[in-house]
Amino acid sequence: MPVKFLAAMVFLLLAGCATTGTNQSTGEVPDNQTTQVASRHSVDASVVDDHLFKIPTIDPGQAYENVWDRIVDRFALPECSDQEVNLQWARWYADRPEYMARIFKRAEPWIHYIAEELERRNMPGELALLPIVESAYDPFAYSSGRALGTWQFISDTGKRYGLKQNWWYDGRRDVWSSTQAALEYLSYMSNMFEGDWLLALAGYNTGENRVARQITRNKSIGKPTDYWNLSLPRETRGYVPKLMGLACLFKYPERYDFKMAVTPDEPVIAAVDMGRQADLVLISQMSQAPIDVLFTLNPGYNRWATSPEGPFRVVLPLENAALLKTSMQTIDPNSLMRWDQVAVERGDTLSDLSRRHHVPIDVLKSSNNLKSNTIHPGQKLLLPRDEQLLVDPQYAAAAAQLQELQAGLISADRITHTVRPGENLSVIAKRYRVSVDELQRWNKINDPRTLRAGFNLIVFHTPTQSRTGKGNSGEVRYVVERGDSLWSIARKYKVRVNDLRSWNSLGKGVVLQPGQKLRIEL
């Protein structure tokens, strides 16, 4: 594996812990400017001006040193500098070079693949910038609206576009699969809105039906039906200008004294179809890919193996993918999974085994081809090896990497809770809005009855759980959510805005980021 690519993967792993997104939740533009700006190109969605959305044709033989140049050459949306609000966002991004550098690093493994898919589908190059707006290219990004992944799919829309979600796997976090789903969804909406990509983008943010209703409303009152003239939610009014601002920044970097990243226009990853469910630790050994790189490139997998329902694909750096393909020629396909076994004892039920081994009943049934919940003493059941992860050193290391990714890259707060007299796991779980099973797994507690006062528990505390966690110092750690402002947070905790700024070293005019942590002294 090239040292440069491995370094990028490790950087990607660490950089994901940074706050993701801009201030995509509120749709506010820098300097509190309004986003509803009249367009110089007000067009009716039913009569789209072709020259505004004509996708440039690139000579197939043309070579690029930098994949970002290739993407810019396929820009096809209206001229970004036509709207002042777009320019404000361009300046906002340009003024944050460290933030953009983290984004470029996260995008590095995927951007050539995305560029290829956009060209194959004849879609605008600007769409490669959409994950910056959605998630800052973080596959573990999680919004308060319950959207997940680089392309930020909610559960229902993800399933609608083929992204499976189960105990083993969540396709919304799978960059390979979710890219396909996102481009399918955007293509559908482009056709729905007769080639108007700005309306398609608005639909991606707020739903195509809401956009369609606003078009119908404007038609009924004789108003233009282009994006700039629709009455859309505040977030959506700011959504397209962010993308257009990025387009300005990438198209005219010299105007903003911005140094573009240089990412070679060549693939650095490949997908290998294992053909069946496979153990990811075994794949790491066969491919010689470090386990952190494997999990980073395959963020859709929730556990130590691919899903029995597919996909069976793993994404690896090119050299490791080649080694894996070679290894697969000499290995028995039946040995791609390593299972534990458990013998059913008298009085055992599937519910008992599920609770004891922290495996859902439906997973036990599917793993053992059980048609009902009936089991018999002496019966041998295959058991997914989550418990084995805590015993086998190789799997323990894998579990640690996976836990760090899943809990650390979604802007989770790691809290240490000191158990008080009279508290049990159920009480603590309720307080932090997590499950007892999660507390046991995070703290390697097999028997909850062993919990004692004074014991320190680790709690991974995310924005979708309890929004605050009090430490022992009379201090609150607050996780910023969409729509929050310093004023609203100060009002909630009955403190002064100036104190919030002082405690967190925030200057005037600062824009809060979803997932950002604030210290509040009470």
Side-chain angles (χ1 to χ4, degrees):
M1 179 190 308
V3 174
K4 180 180 178 182
F5 183 75
L6 179 55
M9 288 295 93
V10 174
F11 188 99
L12 175 68
L13 181 71
L14 298 176
C17 296
T19 300
T20 62
T22 55
N23 49 347
Q24 50 257 59
S25 59
T26 65
E28 292 179 358
V29 299
D31 304 321
N32 295 320
Q33 298 291 329
T34 178
T35 64
Q36 198 71 357
V37 182
S39 173
R40 297 183 192 175
H41 301 293
S42 292
V43 294
D44 193 307
S46 63
V47 190
V48 176
D49 194 343
D50 286 341
H51 83 275
L52 293 180
F53 298 97
K54 186 174 182 181
I55 300 173
T57 300
I58 296 177
D59 182 351
Q62 183 173 350
Y64 289 89
E65 291 186 4
N66 189 353
V67 70
W68 296 106
D69 292 337
R70 174 183 176 185
I71 287 167
V72 169
D73 278 355
R74 285 185 60 84
F75 278 7
L77 302 187
E79 172 55 42
C80 59
S81 59
D82 282 349
Q83 300 286 342
E84 174 59 26
V85 66
N86 301 343
L87 303 183
Q88 292 167 11
W89 277 112
R91 289 190 289 268
W92 191 94
Y93 285 109
D95 288 343
R96 291 157 175 79
E98 293 182 358
Y99 173 71
M100 292 302 295
R102 291 196 297 271
I103 289 172
F104 283 129
K105 277 296 182 184
R106 292 193 199 112
E108 194 170 282
W110 307 105
I111 193 60
H112 182 271
Y113 165 65
I114 292 173
E116 292 268 305
E117 285 301 305
L118 288 173
E119 290 184 21
R120 185 175 70 84
R121 296 166 181 264
N122 197 33
M123 298 173 77
E126 289 95 337
L127 299 183
L129 312 182
L130 192 58
I132 300 178
V133 177
E134 287 287 351
S135 66
Y137 264 98
D138 181 357
F140 287 89
Y142 187 97
S143 79
S144 59
R146 299 187 179 275
L148 266 183
T150 299
W151 294 92
Q152 288 288 282
F153 275 96
I154 61 172
S155 179
D156 288 347
T157 307
K159 290 175 181 177
R160 175 177 155 196
Y161 283 90
L163 299 178
K164 297 178 180 178
Q165 299 154 51
N166 54 47
W167 190 71
W168 299 91
Y169 169 79
D170 194 324
R172 296 174 294 169
R173 292 200 312 261
D174 181 342
V175 184
W176 193 279
S177 291
S178 64
T179 294
Q180 298 290 337
L183 300 188
E184 286 288 342
Y185 187 25
L186 286 161
S187 293
Y188 162 76
M189 286 186 291
S190 172
N191 291 331
M192 178 178 181
F193 298 123
E194 302 188 9
D196 190 324
W197 283 101
L198 298 191
L199 293 177
L201 286 164
Y204 192 87
N205 177 257
T206 195
E208 63 269 34
N209 292 331
R210 175 177 281 176
V211 175
R213 287 195 299 270
Q214 291 305 313
I215 290 173
T216 300
R217 175 183 175 277
N218 276 23
K219 283 182 178 179
S220 70
I221 58 178
K223 290 183 64 175
T225 57
D226 64 301
Y227 164 80
W228 302 100
N229 285 284
L230 296 184
S231 177
L232 295 168
R234 183 183 183 189
E235 179 183 341
T236 309
R237 294 200 309 269
Y239 182 78
V240 171
K242 289 173 191 173
L243 182 69
M244 299 297 283
L246 284 165
C248 267
L249 182 62
F250 282 54
K251 190 174 182 179
Y252 311 114
E254 66 285 348
R255 295 184 185 178
Y256 302 93
D257 194 26
F258 180 74
K259 186 176 181 181
M260 279 293 298
V262 177
T263 304
D265 185 24
E266 58 189 26
V268 293
I269 55 174
V272 180
D273 190 344
M274 303 301 293
R276 61 178 65 198
Q277 188 178 23
D279 186 311
L280 292 173
V281 175
L282 180 59
I283 289 173
S284 172
Q285 295 167 351
M286 293 168 63
S287 66
Q288 298 181 26
I291 196 68
D292 58 345
V293 172
L294 179 64
F295 281 141
T296 301
L297 289 176
N298 297 275
Y301 294 121
N302 295 327
R303 312 202 108 72
W304 52 274
T306 62
S307 171
E309 301 172 4
F312 306 123
R313 176 198 63 248
V314 289
V315 177
L316 294 166
L318 292 177
E319 291 87 344
N320 303 101
L323 284 172
L324 179 59
K325 289 179 180 178
T326 300
S327 298
M328 287 174 63
Q329 295 174 3
T330 60
I331 192 171
D332 179 1
N334 293 320
S335 67
L336 288 175
M337 281 294 289
R338 297 170 177 171
W339 297 88
D340 292 329
Q341 269 194 346
V342 60
V344 178
E345 298 179 358
R346 186 175 299 277
D348 276 346
T349 65
L350 270 187
S351 178
D352 294 333
L353 296 175
S354 169
R355 185 169 53 254
R356 190 182 308 155
H357 298 285
H358 314 299
V359 179
I361 291 176
D362 61 334
V363 173
L364 282 175
K365 291 174 70 174
S366 64
S367 300
N368 292 277
N369 296 317
L370 299 177
K371 304 302 182 185
S372 70
N373 289 352
T374 302
I375 53 176
H376 308 284
Q379 184 178 356
K380 299 289 181 65
L381 297 180
L382 294 176
L383 185 70
R385 58 167 50 238
D386 277 20
E387 283 196 339
Q388 183 68 13
L389 294 180
L390 305 178
V391 179
D392 187 311
Q394 290 179 323
Y395 286 85
Q401 291 288 347
L402 191 58
Q403 177 175 289
E404 181 177 346
L405 279 167
Q406 292 182 345
L409 297 189
I410 57 175
S411 299
D413 236 346
R414 178 177 171 136
I415 293 171
T416 300
H417 176 87
T418 302
V419 179
R420 299 167 183 170
E423 283 187 332
N424 56 32
L425 287 182
S426 178
V427 170
I428 298 167
K430 185 175 181 180
R431 173 179 178 180
Y432 293 103
R433 299 186 187 178
V434 299
S435 70
V436 170
D437 283 348
E438 285 173 325
L439 284 177
Q440 288 186 239
R441 186 170 71 251
W442 293 332
N443 295 278
K444 301 180 182 179
I445 297 173
N446 292 322
D447 185 354
R449 292 172 296 182
T450 62
L451 194 67
R452 296 289 183 269
F455 189 81
N456 288 327
L457 292 179
I458 293 171
V459 183
F460 288 105
H461 163 254
T462 73
T464 57
Q465 298 159 2
S466 172
R467 295 175 64 182
T468 62
K470 283 194 176 183
N472 296 325
S473 61
E475 182 180 288
V476 166
R477 296 268 298 179
Y478 182 85
V479 181
V480 176
E481 293 190 349
R482 294 191 173 196
D484 280 340
S485 66
L486 285 175
W487 180 85
S488 67
I489 297 169
R491 185 180 180 188
K492 175 180 176 66
Y493 288 97
K494 297 180 174 60
V495 296
R496 297 188 305 167
V497 170
N498 286 341
D499 287 335
L500 278 178
R501 289 198 180 104
S502 174
W503 296 329
N504 296 279
S505 301
L506 301 174
K508 288 189 175 181
V510 70
V511 179
L512 296 181
Q513 311 289 328
Q516 182 178 350
K517 284 94 172 176
L518 296 181
R519 186 166 66 91
I520 304 173
E521 296 181 6
L522 298 178

